[in-house]
Amino acid sequence: RPASGLKKPVGYHLDLLVCALCIYPVCAFLGLPYPHNSTAPSLIHQMSLTTYETVPVPGGGSRMVASRVAEQRVTNLMIHVLIGLSLAVGSVVSNVPKAVTFG
């Protein structure tokens, strides 16, 4: 949305290129889910980083308008760090009974 003032740097497109060339073919070959299929949480995360201001509407009332979006990459970094840690603790997780993991 142009109203949010979000400017996507080159790294965003490079991330998609790396996924398209390296990660997606491997996931498709092994039958694994794609890593970037979480559209709704991504939108909710962006909305949580948006700063809104109240603008009066002609005829009475007010409206919330996005004034700026705080761009950061900490969330993506932490997601990948936690994925890496989950690989490291795989032997511990394998001791958990399947009945617990399936609810």
Side-chain angles (χ1 to χ4, degrees):
R1 290 184 219 167
S4 63
L6 183 64
K7 295 177 177 67
K8 296 178 183 133
V10 177
Y12 177 78
H13 300 292
L14 183 62
D15 180 41
L16 292 177
L17 178 69
V18 168
C19 286
L21 295 178
C22 300
I23 297 173
Y24 291 154
V26 172
C27 289
F29 181 73
L30 297 175
L32 299 172
Y34 293 138
H36 293 316
N37 64 351
S38 57
T39 304
S42 298
L43 292 174
I44 292 169
H45 180 68
Q46 180 184 358
M47 289 189 318
S48 71
L49 295 173
T50 304
T51 304
Y52 295 96
E53 58 184 32
T54 305
V55 176
V57 176
S62 62
R63 184 174 90 139
M64 300 292 285
V65 177
S67 60
R68 71 179 204 79
V69 176
E71 296 187 48
Q72 49 88 14
R73 299 196 181 261
V74 176
T75 304
N76 291 332
L77 175 69
M78 289 308 298
I79 287 170
H80 289 90
V81 165
L82 290 173
I83 289 172
L85 287 175
S86 70
L87 296 173
V89 297
S91 61
V92 175
V93 174
S94 66
N95 293 329
V96 176
K98 285 188 179 180
V100 172
T101 59
F102 288 122

